[in-house]
Amino acid sequence: MFNVALFGAGRIGQIHAGNIAAHPDCKLVRVVDVHQPAAETLAEKYGAQASSLEDALRDSSVNLVAICSATDTHADLIEASARAGKAIFCEKPVDLSMERVERCLATVREANVPLMVGFNRRFDPSMASLQQALSDGEVGELEFVTISSRDPGAPSADYVKTSGGLFRDMTIHDFDMARWLLQEEPVSVFASAAALIDPQIKALGDVDTAVITLTCASGKMAVITNSRRASYGYDQRIEVHGSKGMLAVANHPENSLIKSVAEGVVAQKPMHFFLQRYGDAYRQEFASLIEHLKTKTAIHPSGEDGLQALRLADAALTSLKTGRAVQL
Amino acid sequence: MFNVALFGAGRIGQIHAGNIAAHPDCKLVRVVDVHQPAAETLAEKYGAQASSLEDALRDSSVNLVAICSATDTHADLIEASARAGKAIFCEKPVDLSMERVERCLATVREANVPLMVGFNRRFDPSMASLQQALSDGEVGELEFVTISSRDPGAPSADYVKTSGGLFRDMTIHDFDMARWLLQEEPVSVFASAAALIDPQIKALGDVDTAVITLTCASGKMAVITNSRRASYGYDQRIEVHGSKGMLAVANHPENSLIKSVAEGVVAQKPMHFFLQRYGDAYRQEFASLIEHLKTKTAIHPSGEDGLQALRLADAALTSLKTGRAVQL
Amino acid sequence: MFNVALFGAGRIGQIHAGNIAAHPDCKLVRVVDVHQPAAETLAEKYGAQASSLEDALRDSSVNLVAICSATDTHADLIEASARAGKAIFCEKPVDLSMERVERCLATVREANVPLMVGFNRRFDPSMASLQQALSDGEVGELEFVTISSRDPGAPSADYVKTSGGLFRDMTIHDFDMARWLLQEEPVSVFASAAALIDPQIKALGDVDTAVITLTCASGKMAVITNSRRASYGYDQRIEVHGSKGMLAVANHPENSLIKSVAEGVVAQKPMHFFLQRYGDAYRQEFASLIEHLKTKTAIHPSGEDGLQALRLADAALTSLKTGRAVQL
Amino acid sequence: MFNVALFGAGRIGQIHAGNIAAHPDCKLVRVVDVHQPAAETLAEKYGAQASSLEDALRDSSVNLVAICSATDTHADLIEASARAGKAIFCEKPVDLSMERVERCLATVREANVPLMVGFNRRFDPSMASLQQALSDGEVGELEFVTISSRDPGAPSADYVKTSGGLFRDMTIHDFDMARWLLQEEPVSVFASAAALIDPQIKALGDVDTAVITLTCASGKMAVITNSRRASYGYDQRIEVHGSKGMLAVANHPENSLIKSVAEGVVAQKPMHFFLQRYGDAYRQEFASLIEHLKTKTAIHPSGEDGLQALRLADAALTSLKTGRAVQL
């Protein structure tokens, strides 16, 4: 049985709390949040207790922590939890600074505790089926990966300010998917981007529309297209081209109703955003963590996966600034 | 080389004229129409001559006639052409009266000339692929046929008056498709129908919305649903269920453009009507006729196919009037 | 807060137990099952207690019962629960005998307790969206309903023996959907059916493949096609044709992966069976019940809905035996 | 009436010959080919005469030429035809050398004759509908264009040798589509490519798999992905993202048959290659040319369009060699 302390009772923390509570091998025991009433409300719902960070880490019955707090607290909480000997789940990213991530991962290695970084999309049943079919050779040797990723609408200026920018905040998921599918580290990154959607994003020096090309030593390529706005909903598609064919994950419509009228044949829009689209992925992600902890097998996505995705994000930013492909 | 005389220069005659002219083994030589200018215009377009019926039948160079005139002239023209020793293509139906069809087919048999009845849908590439896959056993033993057939809009009252009614005019195509797919004659017909769309159709004693169930001695069934109106275009779908799966022909959209906006994901409507949807079918139908004439092999759909479809239409009408299944 | 006693700890009882436990306004307090260990296991999972029927009905803190036991116990349990003053959810059917259902509903009326009959499909988000769009007039006046309903595989002979036959066991869901969408009681029922799939089903005098036509006084029609086997998964589709267009609910694929290879473009099969396909429907069904209980508004599907669906099933059986349409 | 001389009786010449012959305002009068029997066969089929180039250009009744011969003859034939005062249709490309194209277009300007360059995809009904919807503002302001273009299989080494390489031979169509949709000239080109499919292509110094990013001064972007092989058929898709949504052209399946079996739901592959997929486009292309000649309006795609597409192809090649984005 895993007794879990949850750090962060916000939107994403609530998702994980529900999945922890529903898992037959887990129990949510402590909820920590800087906003104490939020911790209390969430704790009460699942029969856990609101707790200070210190108490949670000192509680020897807690053997797993789930870090869902603000990005700038992740690295510190990982290190504190590692030193306390807890197994760790942490929402992406570990940190926005490569140097800080590397230091943090060194601490985790030293403490020799398991760490999963929350790249949830790997666990989406459609994405996971694609990766499995690819691994099984159903389309032969991989040649090309195409990732389309668009949010339904631009985030607030406040969010953008602390986000680390499009590449570190949003594209980082796509970098992880690209690495996971390519099964080979890219050696070159080229990015082209602009702020076409939101003048505030432009004013903050960030971009909202981008295309990034990744190239591997073997010649395999990946192209990622991003936008902070898709008026038709959350656009999450992946194509993989191999020597024998293509595997593609399509968008998931809100439901299967189709209306045929004089104006056309109208299907439902894709599910609105990540909470709807990746609800199953969050459940499977946690189940995978528990399975690996139980069997003491290697966990992915690992801290190293988090580091490598950030490396690609930083390279994309450099490419954008210099107008040149960045060699890794 | 087949020298063809075309009887009827209207909408459907023009379609066949184009296909005859484009066929490498055919030449359109004579066009006959009660409206002489229509015959002349069409003849000129393809380097043929406008002609009287008598001259066309007397012309020994003419070895094939294509009958595309008004329904009530079909049987007479078939008989006259048969006596003149011509191979015959005739648009459906041979006649609206079973007795007249039987007499007409007797004349054809006596003259020993080839006859194809124009059930064009058998030659649509999608429908033909379905029938081939079924024959090849791709879904095992056939159990059930579902035919959805809806026109984009109700015909004029004038058309309805001479049409023979929904079952003989429109459903007759579906009866032919059902027979072709079942490969077994139905032994029972039950029809339910109403005039829901057009008060004029009701006033004329006809129906515009119907469902017909056909049952075979083996237990195989077919269900046909019809409507004289589908605001989204010509609805032409078939499903075949077998012991190992389902084969389905979907509608054909006008083109492949799809628009994703806040209101939904909007695809194009099905092609408007039979001239668009079955353009390829008309071409293939004529090509099949020529191929069979060249190889002196059995032609389908035959006169007998025309007769059997009419038998089902008449049975459906009887069922509708009596409220009971009609046994054949 | 609703304290719920669950009767029946089998497959469907477990589904409801999970939904009851997850609902913020409910608490699962007692689980009753003739097989005591099953009751205990399920009770323990959700912090409830295994209980005898008598204790559950005597427990005044229990204000809602969920009846998920064997079909032949439903009517008795409804009556006992009604007399004990409990609100009642009962899985379909109330009973296989019209007379028994009528007596049971009289008891419920006398006791004046709320009763929902579990026709879960009304609560499927896709089906509910279709019904809403129809009610909103998005396709004008309703003319025709088409329901395709196929199970992935035939049930065991033991199941078939006590099922009441195809119409009362399987089609009854489709009769309910037809009534819900037509918003008018059918006045005529015609059924055609055969045992094409399983010799055991034939030996038991039941059928496994069927088509049923329902006609209303207004001329509106519905056609239901059923099969006990669809090798490609659970086939659950509905089409509604109105004066301005069509609304259709498509099947739900297992996931959205599509493979394009030399053999074709291969999408995933529909979800396997009702537990997968209607997982959301069961959740929404229970949520709807609680909402109506809280607001003291009329519950649907009601006992009367259960009775009317059974009336159609009985009429279909009579039609099948007589080969005639049955007038209601 | 346009009397057309056709130069080149090969595969693509035969396509145009059929469309010329079927056009009500055109007559195919002369066919020129270095292989005289090919010219004769094609001429005979449409009642034209096989001819020398000189005779065709000297024939004052010829007012339009269609150049469908080998690429390295295009520029010479355009110039000779222009000097002879003929209106000109020329298959893409004008030439593989920018300098040669510019000289050729100067000659055309001097002769003041109309010239259409055969970028046929602009005339595909689906692509044309996309462009129209975009121009009509149906998805707001354009932000991003995504073009997927894959051939079913790699060409022969002989073809590759004289093709000018992937960018000038294949991507050039996509460059034209990108320009046509962006409605703004790209200012930057970045290409990444490899020879992953065919060792012969690699040996010849060419590539077979590529991704090219185009950027405009306004920030609008386009990304093109290419492959010389798609085992599932000719992959021709375009997506356009605007401020209000997405427009997409999907692949066109060979027919609409769909098979649902235990292995999945199997739809037909995309049409095999350009002759099938773009049959309608070739017809519409020629119809557009004639319409513009009749109304003396500006023709597109123009010689300038041909030149600009080649400029992008050359820039892509430079980018590939230098590993840097090329500024235009």
Side-chain angles (χ1 to χ4, degrees), chain A residues 62 134 152 161 164 167 242 268 294 321:
Chain A
V62 168
L134 180 62
K161 267 178 214 168
F167 297 150
Q268 302 301 300
K294 284 167 68 177
K321 284 176 183 161

Side-chain angles (χ1 to χ4, degrees), chain C residues 234-280:
Chain C
Y234 193 39
D235 191 359
Q236 293 285 299
R237 291 171 290 155
I238 292 193
E239 282 183 20
V240 169
H241 292 266
S243 53
K244 294 182 182 163
M246 167 170 66
L247 295 165
V249 166
N251 279 322
H252 292 204
E254 285 176 354
N255 64 58
S256 73
L257 179 63
I258 296 171
K259 180 169 69 168
S260 297
V261 289
E263 290 73 31
V265 176
V266 189
Q268 303 300 301
K269 291 189 294 181
M271 290 174 173
H272 178 62
F273 209 1
F274 65 97
L275 294 181
Q276 293 83 35
R277 173 65 182 82
Y278 290 124
D280 283 345

Side-chain angles (χ1 to χ4, degrees), chain A residues 143-144 150 190 192 196 209 211 213 215 218 221 225 229 231-232 237 239 241 243-246 323-324, chain D residues 143-144 150 190 192 196 209 211 213 215 218 221 225 229 231-232 237 239 241 243-246 325:
Chain A
E143 293 165 2
F144 208 97
R150 290 173 178 83
F190 178 80
S192 188
L196 297 176
T209 308
V211 50
T213 303
T215 316
S218 66
M221 284 167 264
T225 56
R229 177 189 58 205
S231 61
Y232 49 90
R237 290 171 291 155
E239 282 183 21
H241 292 266
S243 52
K244 294 182 183 164
M246 168 170 65
R324 305 173 58 160
Chain D
E143 292 165 1
F144 207 97
R150 290 175 178 82
F190 178 80
S192 188
L196 297 176
T209 308
V211 51
T213 303
T215 316
S218 66
M221 285 167 262
T225 55
R229 178 189 55 206
S231 60
Y232 50 90
R237 291 171 291 156
E239 281 183 20
H241 292 266
S243 53
K244 294 182 183 164
M246 168 170 65

